[in-house]
Amino acid sequence: MKKIVIATNNAHKLDEIRAILGDQLELLSLKDIHCDVDIPETANTLEGNASQKAHFIYDNYGLNCFADDTGLEVEALNGEPGVHTARYATEGHDTDANVRKLLHELEDKKNRKARFRTIVSLIEDGVEHQFEGIVNGTITTEKRGKNGFGYDPVFIPEGYDETFAELGVEVKNHVSHRAKAITKLCNYLLNK
């Protein structure tokens, strides 16, 4: 089975990606390769951050790897939080504060259209490829549901009446932005 490193230790993200990949690839986390460095994410685009993280692993560990960066892009907020999605309210990854700030920023807005966009950057034998996944939807006026993480309780994907947090992991893993990007990655790796 082909092994590949993903540049994350986020347990939620690891579980989600492992569920999407199934047993097609053996996924190693940063912990598995003994990387405990806080990998920089200083680019001003999702593409740049994904590339930066993947290059860090490949350049320092010599392992084929991929990294992703995801942004929530809200139409009424001119695409914000975008590349700052994880650090929207604070420099730390404070999910509750991020969601509170988002809902506050949208309080007087009728347009609640948004999209999640994921960029996956794969570096294999020194060559980089990027894959994109997008899911359109809307932002609720309050948190709904207990499953998922991040902005899942306030994001309703197009074609559904429930938030990602209400739909649950199984549905999310079939329709999400990350699922779309990871599926493209997986198809590339398995069909080349």
Side-chain angles (χ1 to χ4, degrees), residues 47-68:
E47 291 83 356
N49 277 340
S51 180
Q52 186 177 30
K53 291 186 283 188
H55 275 286
F56 181 90
I57 296 303
Y58 190 81
D59 294 346
N60 288 284
Y61 293 85
L63 299 169
N64 290 336
C65 62
F66 69 94
D68 74 304

Side-chain angles (χ1 to χ4, degrees), residues 157-174:
E158 210 168 68
Y160 292 86
D161 296 322
E162 296 176 300
T163 67
F164 271 151
E166 292 171 305
L167 290 170
V169 175
E170 195 170 310
V171 173
K172 182 183 176 187
N173 285 346
H174 288 295

Side-chain angles (χ1 to χ4, degrees), residues 1-159:
M1 184 184 296
K2 185 179 269 192
K3 290 184 181 183
I4 192 161
V5 176
I6 177 171
T8 191
N9 273 324
N10 179 317
H12 293 294
K13 187 185 290 187
L14 282 166
D15 288 345
E16 190 174 288
I17 292 173
R18 283 189 173 121
I20 295 164
L21 291 175
D23 59 1
Q24 299 175 81
L25 298 166
E26 183 179 347
L27 189 62
L28 303 175
S29 69
L30 294 177
K31 184 177 180 181
D32 293 329
I33 64 167
H34 309 290
C35 174
D36 57 2
V37 177
D38 190 18
I39 300 174
E41 293 180 67
T42 56
N44 59 2
T45 64
L46 300 175
E47 291 83 356
N49 277 340
S51 180
Q52 186 177 30
K53 291 186 283 188
H55 275 286
F56 181 90
I57 296 303
Y58 190 81
D59 294 346
N60 288 284
Y61 293 85
L63 299 169
N64 290 336
C65 62
F66 69 94
D68 74 304
D69 200 23
T70 295
L72 175 63
E73 300 171 343
V74 180
E75 198 172 278
L77 302 179
N78 299 313
E80 288 294 319
V83 73
H84 305 291
T85 294
R87 295 174 178 88
Y88 189 43
T90 67
E91 277 305 305
H93 292 265
D94 186 339
T95 299
D96 290 332
N98 290 339
V99 170
R100 278 194 309 274
K101 179 176 179 178
L102 175 67
L103 293 178
H104 175 74
E105 295 291 326
L106 288 174
E107 272 178 358
D108 60 343
K109 307 267 192 288
K110 286 189 186 338
N111 179 1
R112 300 184 79 85
K113 290 181 187 174
R115 70 178 188 172
F116 269 118
R117 191 165 69 93
T118 293
I119 300 295
V120 171
S121 183
L122 166 71
I123 299 181
E124 189 176 40
D125 303 324
V127 179
E128 183 174 14
H129 301 277
Q130 289 195 332
F131 308 91
E132 180 182 58
I134 294 173
V135 64
N136 293 306
T138 57
I139 303 297
T140 61
T141 56
E142 62 187 11
K143 289 170 76 172
R144 296 178 7 205
K146 300 288 182 200
N147 297 309
F149 64 100
Y151 295 86
D152 288 355
V154 296
F155 184 83
I156 299 174
E158 210 168 68

